[in-house]
Amino acid sequence: MNGSKEIIVVSPDQYKDLARKLSHEISKVPGCNGAFWNIKQFEENEFQLGGNRYAIFIGNADENSITKDFLPVIKKINNKAGACYGFDGTKALIFGEGKLDQREDFKNVLKESAAITVGTSAFSTVGAGIAATSVVFLPIYLRKLLPWPILVFSYFRRKKREKELRTEQTKAALTLFLAENFDEWIGLKK
């Protein structure tokens, strides 16, 4: 790795625990330093980015205004049943869409995410190792093995389910990004 890399994880309040844990795990990687910033901190310090400073934005455009700003700029966003992730230059986006019609397809993404997190996948990347070190990135529905009933929900229950799905998709997207793209993104050589 060429020089020390500082990776700033920027998230809204609802993902701050996830962002803090991620920045902690990143800091364990030799040559990397992780930091958690809320959206306001990022906006106040954005001018300091560049060089060996990278930023991961967690949350969709409704949850994180910075994500909204970078969505048009980052051309290649992987979307696996609503678990979305992509990067361009020093910026990466991680978010869930929360569309209830994605639930069935998302079950396969959960299996892929779980394989990475619980260690049944070969860890050929530093990013996969980061994801595997903590169950925090394993979506809760797999941890609890809860089936998702197909029901017609009231508006408020539907909104709650969408939020829960979006959170789980975000966790899966983070795991997949770390395993598939993290090393390339920060320029680690295999």
Side-chain angles (χ1 to χ4, degrees):
M1 184 173 355
N2 302 335
S4 181
K5 311 278 184 181
E6 184 171 353
I7 298 148
I8 300 160
V9 184
V10 182
S11 80
D13 284 345
Q14 70 258 39
Y15 298 116
K16 70 181 176 187
D17 292 341
L18 180 67
R20 283 184 178 135
K21 289 173 185 171
L22 174 60
S23 66
H24 175 73
E25 293 302 325
I26 288 171
S27 292
K28 292 179 183 179
V29 174
C32 289
N33 183 31
F36 161 69
W37 286 3
N38 63 34
I39 295 166
K40 185 175 187 233
Q41 288 171 309
F42 178 81
E43 290 173 337
E44 291 171 352
N45 295 289
E46 183 174 7
F47 67 91
Q48 297 176 11
L49 293 180
N52 281 341
R53 293 186 112 182
Y54 295 76
I56 299 173
F57 303 102
I58 297 177
N60 70 20
D62 293 332
E63 298 166 322
N64 187 333
S65 59
I66 308 299
T67 298
K68 184 177 185 176
D69 294 342
F70 283 108
L71 266 173
V73 176
I74 297 178
K75 302 292 183 218
K76 187 173 186 265
I77 302 284
N78 295 302
N79 184 336
K80 294 186 177 181
C84 303
Y85 55 100
F87 69 95
D88 184 33
T90 60
K91 312 289 189 295
L93 302 177
I94 311 288
F95 61 92
E97 290 183 318
K99 297 176 183 172
L100 293 178
D101 61 343
Q102 298 167 327
R103 292 178 300 175
E104 286 304 311
D105 293 336
F106 184 61
K107 288 179 184 180
N108 291 328
V109 176
L110 285 174
K111 289 176 188 172
E112 184 179 348
S113 179
I116 293 165
T117 307
V118 298
T120 59
S121 196
F123 298 126
S124 60
T125 68
V126 170
I130 292 171
T133 59
S134 180
V135 174
V136 70
F137 307 135
L138 181 61
I140 194 167
Y141 288 108
L142 263 184
R143 282 187 269 149
K144 292 183 177 181
L145 297 173
L146 293 176
W148 287 29
I150 299 176
L151 301 171
V152 177
F153 299 107
S154 69
Y155 175 78
F156 294 108
R157 278 195 60 107
R158 184 171 158 247
K159 289 297 177 191
K160 181 181 177 201
R161 292 285 185 198
E162 288 172 345
K163 183 178 178 183
E164 289 171 353
L165 175 60
R166 188 171 41 254
T167 299
E168 301 313 312
Q169 287 171 325
T170 300
K171 290 178 186 179
L174 177 57
T175 300
L176 295 169
F177 171 76
L178 290 170
E180 296 173 5
N181 301 125
F182 183 80
D183 292 25
E184 177 186 353
W185 178 55
I186 65 167
L188 290 176
K189 297 185 187 200
K190 293 182 184 182

